[in-house]
Amino acid sequence: MQLPYAEPYRIKMVEPIYQSTIEERKKWIKEAHYNLFNLKSDQVYIDLLTDSGTGAMSDRQWAEVMLGDESYAGSRSFQKLDNAVKDITGYKYFIPSHQGRAAENVLFSAMVKEGDIIPGNSHFDTTKGHIEFRKGQAIDCTIDEAYDTDVYHPFKGNIDLKKLQSVIDNNPIDKIPFLIITVTCNTAGGQPVSMQNIKAVSALCRRHGIKVIFDAARYAENCFFIKGREDGYKDKTIQEIAREMYSYGDGMTMSAKKDGLVNMGGIIALNDEDIYNNAVTFNIMYEGFVTYGGMSGRDMGALAVGLYEALDYDYLASRITQVQYLGEKMAEFGVPVQKPIGGHAVYLDANKFVPTIPKEEFRAQSLAIELYIIAGIRSVEIGTILADRDPVTRENRYPELELVRLAIPRRTYTHNHMEYLAAALKRIYDTRHEAKSGYRIVWEAPIMRHFTVKLDKI
Ligand SMILES: *Cc1c(COP(=O)(O)O)cnc(C)c1O
């Protein structure tokens, strides 16, 4: 008999969470104008808003916090992080930054010019933002299968080589400085990219002198999927797979708040000396001196340890198993979820869940609010409110997918929490036909409205 999975760690410190009542939550969410971003964390029982910076550090990471060297230049903590990043990626140069978007800001300052075209697989929103802010264009070349929640494909984050070829054929080559491979592909639902695809994309890019940059926030999770799903990788360690993956690229940016297992931090790693020198100047202007870049010494030390812990097979197996378990349990109950389940989150398909609510009344947001009221769970809408208005017509944009994302923080919640989540979802699903109306907007900001929007019940 195969023994069930169990966490490869035990708990040394606990953080109590308040278990509120439905009556309290009804009052709080009304006061928050039905916007989950406006809730206080104490009003939330299980917080699945994001897996970014919300994970638990290990005893060894906390030990590094005490060992932190806060020297302005050349600190021991920087040396530890520098060694770890170069060892894992194989790249020659490393620049620290305070988080992922800061790394993008620094690197893109050195690499993106007005009129440039940056193809990739569903660029993350801050990545796209930093390209468009510099009057460049991010072109999404993800395979079509990524957009059908019912189709099974082991690597839905893959780049479509035909789409990429047509970007190359239809644009002056000097306008395409680099391509971005996002691992795992966050925007497509935490879906992995295969090594075969990375290799083929890299070969095509190298033939045309286009650099390959990884957006590596969840690269360890991606390597875990390669090990489990792709021929030839079963017997390789996660670290070996990561090293091979990085060998097909020229550099990376990373939000260390994900697979760095820390609460704040960012990484740039590169092979090209000229780009590095150029980026260092921007880093000193925006982030800090090149041996801290916006991070405390103690945080760099904790990150150096966290990077290795995130590559540990047992850790990754428990992490991914927990997310898959939640997704499969929900699917078993008939709850419509995006398939296959990604690495860091389960996505509910609100169009299938609550088709009885008019789409103009924000189906995904309505479902997220219900989940909060019934069970104290905070999720996030990835639907019409996030898609915002058309900049020209100012009409609401209705995206093909109306999703509610349940992002699972790393090493934070237990198996019982997953059981609770699945049961709560089933309860809401069983009474879904009663949902007839949703919400209307009473106030919204001109851009990025989802963070501050105020809603009222219809
Ligand atoms: C989180 C994330 C970023 C941005 O990182 P921050 O640390 O939040 O600034 C960039 N790309 C991807 C794929 C991410 O998931």
Side-chain angles (χ1 to χ4, degrees):
M1 186 189 86
Q2 204 192 338
L3 293 174
Y5 115 88
E7 288 78 7
Y9 50 84
R10 54 186 173 182
I11 295 164
K12 192 181 303 219
M13 188 195 284
V14 294
E15 179 184 359
I17 35 181
Y18 178 64
Q19 287 190 278
S20 49
T21 62
I22 290 189
E23 281 63 43
E24 283 176 320
R25 293 193 291 266
K26 277 186 179 157
K27 179 169 157 277
W28 291 336
I29 191 69
K30 187 160 185 259
E31 285 167 2
H33 302 285
Y34 298 100
N35 180 342
L36 295 148
F37 284 102
N38 286 337
L39 290 171
K40 299 183 179 78
S41 63
D42 285 341
Q43 297 170 335
V44 176
Y45 176 50
I46 300 184
D47 204 345
L48 308 183
L49 187 66
T50 174
D51 66 324
S52 179
T54 52
M57 293 210 295
S58 69
D59 51 355
R60 286 177 221 181
Q61 287 181 284
W62 281 107
E64 281 300 329
V65 169
M66 298 309 293
L67 293 171
D69 174 358
E70 306 302 338
S71 302
Y72 190 95
S75 74
R76 283 187 304 279
S77 304
F78 171 75
Q79 295 304 329
K80 287 178 191 171
L81 183 55
D82 189 53
N83 289 340
V85 170
K86 289 174 182 169
D87 174 42
I88 291 166
T89 63
Y91 295 137
K92 288 196 205 107
Y93 303 100
F94 160 60
I95 305 172
S97 63
H98 82 273
Q99 66 181 95
R101 69 199 67 183
E104 290 163 356
N105 188 30
V106 168
L107 187 63
F108 296 178
S109 293
M111 290 185 82
V112 180
K113 295 185 305 299
E114 184 173 341
D116 280 352
I117 286 162
I118 321 291
N121 54 342
S122 303
H123 311 62
F124 185 67
D125 51 10
T126 62
T127 318
K128 196 169 171 180
H130 276 298
I131 293 168
E132 289 175 352
F133 180 73
R134 291 172 174 81
K135 302 203 161 56
Q137 199 188 339
I139 300 187
D140 186 357
C141 297
T142 316
I143 57 171
D144 289 334
E145 286 89 334
Y147 304 103
D148 189 334
T149 59
D150 282 328
V151 168
Y152 178 82
H153 187 293
F155 293 102
K156 274 191 174 177
N158 278 359
I159 289 174
D160 187 323
L161 288 160
K162 287 204 196 79
K163 289 186 192 174
L164 176 57
Q165 187 69 57
S166 109
V167 173
I168 293 172
D169 292 345
N170 293 314
N171 293 284
I173 206 70
D174 62 330
K175 289 282 172 214
I176 315 176
F178 63 100
L179 162 143
I180 293 176
I181 307 181
T182 312
V183 285
T184 57
C185 192
N186 188 350
T187 310
Q191 301 294 331
V193 184
S194 73
M195 191 73 88
Q196 197 189 12
N197 188 249
I198 291 169
K199 218 165 150 174
V201 166
S202 167
L204 179 55
C205 286
R206 283 189 175 161
R207 241 180 289 143
H208 292 89
I210 299 166
K211 292 207 172 347
V212 172
I213 301 291
F214 289 99
D215 180 352
R218 298 180 183 80
Y219 80 100
E221 292 171 8
N222 199 89
C223 293
F224 180 84
F225 283 116
I226 288 176
K227 185 177 168 83
R229 293 181 184 172
E230 193 164 349
D231 284 345
Y233 291 93
K234 189 162 63 68
D235 298 322
K236 293 215 158 77
T237 65
I238 302 292
Q239 203 175 332
E240 285 166 348
I241 296 169
R243 192 62 179 260
E244 179 182 341
M245 181 191 87
Y246 285 124
S247 77
Y248 300 125
D250 302 281
M252 57 92 107
T253 59
M254 176 178 179
S255 167
K257 304 172 72 169
K258 284 78 169 226
D259 281 352
L261 290 174
V262 290
N263 304 113
M264 195 57 72
I267 292 170
I268 300 169
L270 291 167
N271 267 341
D272 188 297
E273 192 180 353
D274 289 339
I275 300 172
Y276 168 76
N277 285 334
N278 205 350
V280 163
T281 307
F282 288 107
N283 207 59
I284 292 171
M285 282 198 294
Y286 297 147
E287 292 292 290
F289 185 60
V290 66
T291 65
Y292 72 89
M295 293 182 79
S296 302
R298 52 182 170 270
D299 290 345
M300 288 191 284
L303 175 54
V305 173
L307 283 171
Y308 285 108
E309 289 184 355
L311 289 168
D312 176 68
Y313 180 81
D314 292 335
Y315 153 72
L316 280 168
S318 94
R319 155 92 177 136
I320 305 284
T321 304
Q322 187 177 49
V323 177
Q324 308 285 312
Y325 177 81
L326 177 64
E328 278 158 23
K329 191 97 189 171
M330 283 187 196
E332 218 174 275
F333 289 148
V335 176
V337 293
Q338 187 177 26
K339 286 186 243 6
I341 310 297
H344 67 286
V346 175
Y347 293 74
L348 306 173
D349 188 336
N351 283 333
K352 291 185 185 145
F353 201 122
V354 279
T356 46
I357 297 175
K359 76 173 195 305
E360 294 76 15
E361 297 177 15
F362 310 114
R363 283 173 183 157
Q365 181 69 12
S366 304
L367 181 54
I369 292 167
E370 192 65 5
L371 193 52
Y372 172 69
I373 291 172
I374 299 297
I377 297 161
R378 175 154 66 175
S379 55
V380 71
E381 188 245 26
I382 302 191
T384 306
I385 292 181
L386 180 72
D388 223 311
R389 293 178 186 275
D390 184 287
V392 179
T393 67
R394 299 307 294 160
E395 292 295 319
N396 274 316
R397 288 189 283 211
Y398 294 98
E400 220 171 298
L401 293 177
E402 278 277 343
L403 302 172
V404 174
R405 186 182 78 171
L406 306 167
I408 313 296
R410 294 167 181 77
R411 303 193 291 206
T412 303
Y413 292 110
T414 68
H415 200 66
N416 280 333
H417 289 118
M418 299 302 118
E419 297 286 352
Y420 175 93
L421 287 163
L425 256 303
K426 178 171 164 46
R427 182 179 297 181
I428 296 168
Y429 191 62
D430 288 345
T431 57
R432 66 191 179 280
H433 304 294
E434 292 163 27
K436 293 276 188 290
S437 61
Y439 294 81
R440 65 186 172 80
I441 292 177
V442 291
W443 184 85
E444 65 186 284
I447 48 163
M448 306 276 268
R449 67 178 180 182
H450 57 289
F451 289 119
T452 51
V453 68
K454 292 181 180 172
L455 300 162
D456 210 356
K457 217 174 158 68
I458 293 176

